[in-house]
């Protein structure tokens, strides 16, 4: 069974609309996917409708950016996208993204990049991100690639960078649980802390309700994937994996690819374990 539990669409900074993402999963014979847009579940209804048509099994998801000794990303799975308090929280996050983007555009203008706010913000449907600003910088010829836009202007510490308003990990876990979501740590190999601090933080977040680790991720080395896989099992946590595919131009990761470290037998068991604890889901897991 092919599985990809980390995908983006135009509801955040992906290139393809939710329906297209699901169709692409069907084309690639990926049986189980999760749509995990940044601070947005706005793509879920369209993805769910297409999943039913295409016979793809879907777990509604989200990716939250949080603060815990640096930038930490959490994935949430199986949540109820209609939960009122949760929707209010996401609207707040999206507003905060909007204000941050405007601030970054102001900084770019001050540095001689004649940005047009409406053109940049018009690239986003719900959840604006630095990716959209990067796309605008490429379109105006200021940089030759999204990667260069991050390296020169938008990455942490670069001249047009503004941090997000810090959302503590424990608070984000609380919001996910309020919506019935299963909190999983995204790409633990990209955590900003080093050495023992990684495991110390994971153990602490687990006490706060974190339920799994995305051990299998294209940006991890084989040994990182193996270590996080073992750590999750030792701590009795879920093991997940996902490509973080955004569409060709944003990141090189392609749907369903780069997950070879996740052995077939383990993936089957891990996918079923996540499925069982996910409250909301679309379709049935294949036998
Ligand atoms: P934001 O959520 O607005 O802080 O923007 C972060 C997003 O930008 C991430 O989700 C990635 O999709 C993208 N991103 C971050 N760093 C890079 C990079 N070096 N190259 C390409 N895309 C990146
Ligand atoms: Mn992204
Ligand atoms: Mn992420
Ligand atoms: Mn992601």
């Amino acid at each position: 069974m092919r599985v990809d539990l980390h995908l983006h669409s135009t509801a955040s900074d992906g290139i393809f609309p939710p329906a297209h993402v699901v169709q692409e999963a069907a084309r690639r014979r990926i049986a189980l996917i999760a749509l995990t847009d940044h601070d947005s579940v706005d793509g879920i209804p369209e993805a769910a409708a297409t999943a039913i048509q295409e016979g793809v099994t879907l777990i509604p998801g989200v990716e939250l950016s949080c603060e815990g000794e640096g930038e930490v990303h959490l994935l949430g799975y199986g949540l109820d996208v209609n939960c009122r308090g949760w929707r209010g929280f996401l609207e707040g996050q999206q507003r905060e993204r909007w204000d941050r983007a405007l601030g970054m555009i102001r900084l770019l203008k001050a540095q001689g990049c004649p940005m047009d706010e409406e053109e940049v913000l018009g690239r986003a449907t719900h959840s604006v991100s630095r990716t959209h600003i990067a796309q605008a910088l490429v379109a105006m010829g200021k940089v030759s690639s999204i990667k260069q836009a991050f390296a020169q202007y938008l990455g942490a510490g670069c001249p047009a960078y503004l941090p997000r308003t810090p959302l503590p990990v424990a608070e984000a876990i609380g919001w996910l649980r309020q919506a019935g979501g299963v909190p999983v740590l995204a790409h633990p190999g990209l955590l900003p802390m080093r050495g023992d601090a990684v495991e110390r933080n994971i153990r602490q977040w687990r006490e706060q309700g974190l339920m799994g680790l995305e051990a299998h991720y294209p940006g991890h080395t084989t040994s990182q994937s193996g270590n996080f896989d073992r750590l999750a099992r030792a701590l009795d946590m879920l093991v997940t994996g996902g490509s973080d595919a955004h569409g060709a131009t944003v990141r090189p990761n392609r749907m369903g690819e780069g997950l070879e470290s996740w052995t077939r037998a383990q993936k089957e068991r891990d996918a079923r374990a996540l499925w069982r604890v996910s409250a909301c889901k679309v379709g049935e897991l294949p036998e």
Side-chain angles (χ1 to χ4, degrees):
M1 177 168 63
R2 296 191 76 187
V3 176
D4 192 333
L5 297 169
H6 189 158
L7 295 169
H8 293 272
S9 75
T10 48
S12 64
D13 59 349
I15 298 291
F16 301 117
H20 183 118
V21 171
V22 176
Q23 284 158 357
E24 178 67 11
R27 207 182 61 73
R28 290 173 173 258
R29 306 248 182 278
I30 302 174
L32 172 66
I33 62 168
L35 185 67
T36 54
D37 277 304
H38 302 285
D39 295 332
S40 168
V41 293
D42 300 289
I44 301 294
E46 180 182 310
T50 313
I52 290 165
Q53 279 168 12
E54 298 283 342
V56 171
T57 303
L58 174 86
I59 298 182
V62 73
E63 182 172 15
L64 301 179
S65 309
C66 331
E67 171 63 38
E69 293 183 31
E71 193 168 333
V72 176
H73 290 186
L74 289 187
L75 296 160
Y77 291 113
L79 38 89
D80 173 9
V81 300
N82 294 314
C83 170
R84 273 259 200 104
W86 161 252
R87 289 197 79 103
F89 161 73
L90 284 187
E91 279 164 25
Q93 292 303 101
Q94 290 179 13
R95 242 189 331 269
E96 190 262 331
R97 280 182 169 276
W98 206 261
D99 293 340
R100 178 202 194 202
L102 285 171
M104 290 182 68
I105 292 168
R106 262 195 303 278
L107 289 174
L108 284 164
K109 280 181 165 172
Q111 288 156 47
C113 297
M115 313 292 290
D116 173 358
E117 280 89 352
E118 281 189 30
E119 196 271 334
V120 178
L121 299 176
R123 290 173 179 271
T125 61
H126 295 92
S127 191
V128 71
S129 111
R130 282 182 287 163
T131 307
H132 298 108
I133 305 176
Q135 287 165 346
L137 285 166
V138 173
M140 63 197 273
K142 268 281 168 193
V143 292
S144 58
S145 67
I146 302 262
K147 203 175 158 165
Q148 195 192 346
F150 275 90
Q152 224 170 304
Y153 295 104
L154 307 173
C158 289
Y161 176 78
L162 285 178
R164 295 280 305 269
T165 306
L167 169 68
V169 172
E171 208 175 298
I173 290 172
W175 280 111
L176 288 171
R177 299 201 86 152
Q178 182 172 330
V182 177
V184 171
L185 180 63
H187 40 66
L190 308 189
L191 284 172
M193 69 281 309
R194 285 287 147 255
D196 293 349
V198 172
E199 189 172 328
R200 175 172 48 78
N201 273 292
I202 287 174
R203 285 176 181 271
Q204 186 191 334
W205 297 329
R206 179 174 170 275
E207 295 299 311
Q208 295 166 349
L210 185 71
M211 293 173 68
L213 301 183
E214 187 184 47
H216 304 284
Y217 184 79
H220 287 172
T221 63
T222 312
S223 90
Q224 280 178 319
S225 295
N227 289 341
F228 287 118
D229 183 293
R230 277 189 295 278
L231 178 62
R233 292 181 208 284
L235 295 176
D236 204 15
M237 296 172 89
L238 298 161
V239 173
T240 73
S243 68
D244 205 4
H246 284 66
T249 60
V250 178
R251 277 177 186 265
N253 313 5
R254 287 206 289 206
M255 191 186 289
E257 298 183 9
L259 303 172
E260 293 74 19
S261 57
W262 208 3
T263 65
R264 191 176 162 158
Q266 286 192 326
K267 181 168 44 180
E268 294 266 340
R269 275 203 304 275
D270 295 337
R272 275 177 214 289
L274 177 65
W275 183 258
R276 273 195 301 276
V277 293
S278 294
C280 296
K281 43 209 180 189
V282 179
E284 291 297 333
L285 261 202
E287 282 308 312

